[in-house]
Amino acid sequence: MFRKIIVPVDISVLEKGLDILNKAADLLDEGGQIVLLNVVEEVPSYLAIDMPVDVMDNAVHDAGDRLRELMHNAKVDAKIEIRTGPPAREILAAAKSHAADLIIIASHRPDFSNYLLGSTADRVVRHATCSVLVRR
């Protein structure tokens, strides 16, 4: 079905990550690849001045550990990638750089703020050049 699947995971809700990772494994062609992705949002410069220097390094390291744990629990082989920046932009950039043919992303039920700003999943769906599967 799909040769390259991007699975962006919010490490604060790993149960949703487990669900979409298992779905990706079900949809993956033999010989295909899953890219398990986490995007660490950068700290705004006006806040960064009061934070320890290694806070971003620690966040990236923690994200890698959590994704490895998720991969182990799902018993799914995947390439782990950590990016920094705005989540939607980095998910789309990862899909483009890996020539992905599917992005599987978890979404929560929209609330009022989503109608004003749009969620990460909304932005990915609107701007992706490949297929996108949104799991609730």
Side-chain angles (χ1 to χ4, degrees):
M1 287 191 222
F2 297 99
R3 303 263 321 136
K4 182 80 65 138
I5 302 175
I6 305 295
V7 180
V9 174
D10 178 350
I11 62 171
S12 68
V13 283
L14 283 180
E15 60 279 352
K16 284 187 176 186
L18 184 61
D19 175 54
I20 62 174
L21 183 55
N22 285 325
K23 186 64 176 175
D26 291 343
L27 295 173
L28 189 67
D29 282 344
E30 179 130 358
Q33 182 183 39
I34 295 172
V35 177
L36 191 56
L37 173 69
N38 179 258
V39 180
V40 177
E41 291 190 68
E42 294 173 334
V43 178
S45 58
Y46 62 88
L47 293 176
I49 197 160
D50 293 327
M51 299 181 84
V53 177
D54 60 350
V55 74
M56 285 300 290
D57 292 337
N58 290 342
V60 168
H61 185 295
D62 182 51
D65 289 346
R66 305 282 302 272
L67 291 181
R68 281 187 285 282
E69 175 187 333
L70 177 65
M71 218 171 62
H72 174 76
N73 291 341
K75 297 176 179 63
V76 172
D77 188 35
K79 176 184 180 204
I80 291 177
E81 185 170 325
I82 312 292
R83 290 178 173 241
T84 58
R89 184 188 76 196
E90 293 303 322
I91 292 166
L92 294 166
K96 184 177 181 179
S97 70
H98 289 286
D101 47 2
L102 178 65
I103 300 168
I104 300 181
I105 189 166
S107 181
H108 61 279
R109 295 247 180 247
D111 61 12
F112 185 69
S113 67
N114 293 117
Y115 295 109
L116 296 176
L117 301 173
S119 70
T120 299
D122 293 335
R123 289 185 185 116
V124 170
V125 168
R126 279 195 300 264
H127 299 288
T129 57
C130 64
S131 297
V132 180
L133 172 63
V134 180
R135 297 278 291 197
R136 286 204 192 237

